Amino acid sequence: IVLLIVSLLYIVSIAMRSVTVPDTDIYVEFYNQIDPGNIVSFALYSFEPGFQLLGHIVKLFFGNSAILFLAVVVVINIVLILLSIRKIAFRLSLSSCSINFISAIVLYFAYFGLFYNAIVLRAGIAISILVYSTTILFKKDFNKKDVIKILLLFGLALTFHLSSIVGIIALIFSRRSQRLTEKSYLLIWCFIAFLFFSGSSVYIVKGLLSVVFSLFSLLSDSDYKKYEYYLSELDHLDFQIPYKYLFQLFSGLLLLFVKGNIDTIYYKYLNLYFIGLFLGAIFSSIEQIARVTDYFLIYLFILQWMYFIQSYGRVRGGKSFLYPISVILQLAFVFRIINPTY
């Protein structure tokens, strides 16, 4: 019941957000213009077909309320995240008490949930689908039936956002990734930190893009014109220290020191996370690179959840009050950010 109440508070707060929140007006306008069942209208919008189909289904059953449509998006993400946590908890032989799930949901919304439920909706659903797919892909007894499930989930993710191909490729290669030694992880982290703080990203990106555009120059003049805008972006590359990435980088260092034995799935997520940290360091000079690296770094909330569960166990006594306090503070923060007029 407590988990349901917490989830409903997130759903209501985000669904009833102000239209001044970036992209919200676009999604509301899209939903209002939907003619349920008219598949031909798919060609009128640039949104991926899965997201458009979702809009048609919601409007067909729930009518013209855009708030309900926005709420359904949050519900889908929360359900997928909770199903993922339940599968991981079962693998770790954890109890099904609500506090374990609430802590995971709080971490999800603290790091990524607000952005991917209130602003970048299509990619948010695609990412949630991929998170859930890891609980199948990383199974110890992975079989042929699971292959079919994974292919369906990957296909579904692509129908919500084509950029999910990045996350899909990463997951395929991470299927057989192995745990490294603590020293190896530490050396890799130090190398990533050096790349980031040295400002190497500007020179690496300029070098890579120069090669790419030298190939474009072989195209005809008319085709080359299409890419001139991207070439001009080279002038805007600059060394910067994004606070979000800085937090993710040092969180990665903390995750190396998990206590005791932990299931191998932890290190599969950790390997994915470190790939994201590496890409983030290499391409940190590109302002929107987080849209790509989040397909790797999204697993931070799972890693931290597993870290605290494994290292400290269930919080008891006076410390247990930290959970409801943190939830209340976060809900207040969420409501204030997405409803700035209040």
Side-chain angles (χ1 to χ4, degrees):
I1 296 177
V2 176
L3 176 61
L4 179 62
I5 292 173
V6 171
S7 298
L8 284 174
L9 287 172
Y10 280 120
I11 293 167
V12 173
S13 298
I14 295 175
M16 298 184 68
R17 64 185 178 272
S18 168
V19 292
T20 59
V21 174
D23 293 349
T24 299
D25 57 338
I26 297 175
Y27 288 117
V28 170
E29 181 182 359
F30 158 73
Y31 185 76
N32 289 334
Q33 293 179 356
I34 288 177
D35 179 14
N38 183 11
I39 307 299
V40 178
S41 65
F42 277 39
L44 301 177
Y45 305 97
S46 60
F47 296 154
E48 286 79 359
F51 186 78
Q52 292 201 48
L53 181 60
L54 175 64
H56 279 253
I57 294 172
V58 173
K59 196 162 190 177
L60 188 64
F61 287 97
F62 299 104
N64 296 320
S65 175
I67 291 178
L68 280 177
F69 173 61
L70 298 177
V72 168
V73 171
V74 185
V75 169
I76 290 172
N77 285 324
I78 287 180
V79 168
L80 287 170
I81 295 301
L82 287 177
L83 287 174
S84 304
I85 293 300
R86 187 179 71 170
K87 282 179 171 286
I88 296 172
F90 178 79
R91 178 164 173 169
L92 298 177
S93 300
L94 296 175
S95 65
S96 58
C97 61
S98 62
I99 198 68
N100 286 333
F101 295 96
I102 292 173
S103 58
I105 284 294
V106 168
L107 287 170
Y108 167 70
F109 277 101
Y111 299 153
F112 301 95
L114 187 57
F115 182 65
Y116 283 109
N117 283 274
I119 300 176
V120 190
L121 308 190
R122 292 170 292 142
I125 295 176
I127 286 177
S128 294
I129 293 171
L130 294 186
V131 169
Y132 178 73
S133 71
T134 62
T135 62
I136 300 173
L137 190 65
F138 294 162
K139 283 173 58 178
K140 294 178 180 179
D141 55 345
F142 190 73
N143 54 47
K144 292 181 179 180
K145 289 183 179 179
D146 292 325
V147 173
I148 297 174
K149 293 178 184 177
I150 287 296
L151 290 177
L152 290 174
L153 287 169
F154 284 172
L156 184 60
L158 286 170
T159 67
F160 279 93
H161 210 284
L162 292 177
S163 66
S164 60
I165 188 64
V166 176
I168 290 171
I169 293 173
L171 291 182
I172 292 173
F173 281 100
S174 297
R175 166 78 181 102
R176 297 186 179 279
S177 66
Q178 302 294 322
R179 173 183 179 178
L180 304 178
T181 64
E182 186 178 294
K183 183 178 180 180
S184 297
Y185 280 119
L186 190 57
L187 288 173
I188 293 171
W189 185 90
C190 289
F191 176 68
I192 292 172
F194 170 77
L195 284 176
F196 177 65
F197 289 112
S198 67
S200 303
S201 174
V202 175
Y203 306 102
I204 294 172
V205 172
K206 282 188 175 182
L208 290 174
L209 292 181
S210 295
V211 172
V212 171
F213 290 116
S214 66
L215 297 176
F216 287 164
S217 64
L218 301 177
L219 302 173
S220 64
D221 291 339
S222 59
D223 288 333
Y224 182 71
K225 292 288 184 182
K226 300 176 184 178
Y227 303 102
E228 279 189 329
Y229 166 76
Y230 300 101
L231 185 60
S232 67
E233 288 297 295
L234 287 171
D235 298 328
H236 304 299
L237 293 175
D238 191 20
F239 173 65
Q240 52 186 318
I241 301 181
Y243 291 120
K244 177 182 175 181
Y245 179 81
L246 201 62
F247 171 77
Q248 292 167 338
L249 179 64
F250 283 97
S251 292
L253 180 61
L254 173 67
L255 295 171
L256 299 183
F257 305 108
V258 63
K259 298 178 181 179
N261 295 322
I262 195 166
D263 194 273
T264 55
I265 195 173
Y266 179 88
Y267 293 97
K268 291 187 182 296
Y269 286 129
L270 187 63
N271 292 342
L272 273 171
Y273 188 74
F274 264 60
I275 294 172
L277 288 179
F278 176 73
L279 293 175
I282 290 291
F283 298 107
S284 60
S285 58
I286 301 177
E287 186 175 354
Q288 297 296 327
I289 192 59
R291 296 291 185 90
V292 175
T293 56
D294 277 356
Y295 280 104
F296 302 84
L297 300 177
I298 183 68
Y299 302 104
L300 173 61
F301 85 92
I302 294 179
L303 284 164
Q304 285 209 342
W305 175 75
M306 293 177 67
Y307 177 90
F308 289 123
I309 292 294
Q310 179 73 15
S311 298
Y312 303 105
R314 183 179 174 184
V315 178
R316 297 181 177 85
K319 292 182 179 179
S320 62
F321 288 104
L322 291 174
Y323 278 103
I325 291 173
S326 65
V327 172
I328 292 170
L329 289 175
Q330 192 187 68
L331 286 168
F333 171 76
V334 167
F335 183 79
R336 183 66 184 86
I337 289 296
I338 61 182
N339 294 281
T341 56
Y342 285 88

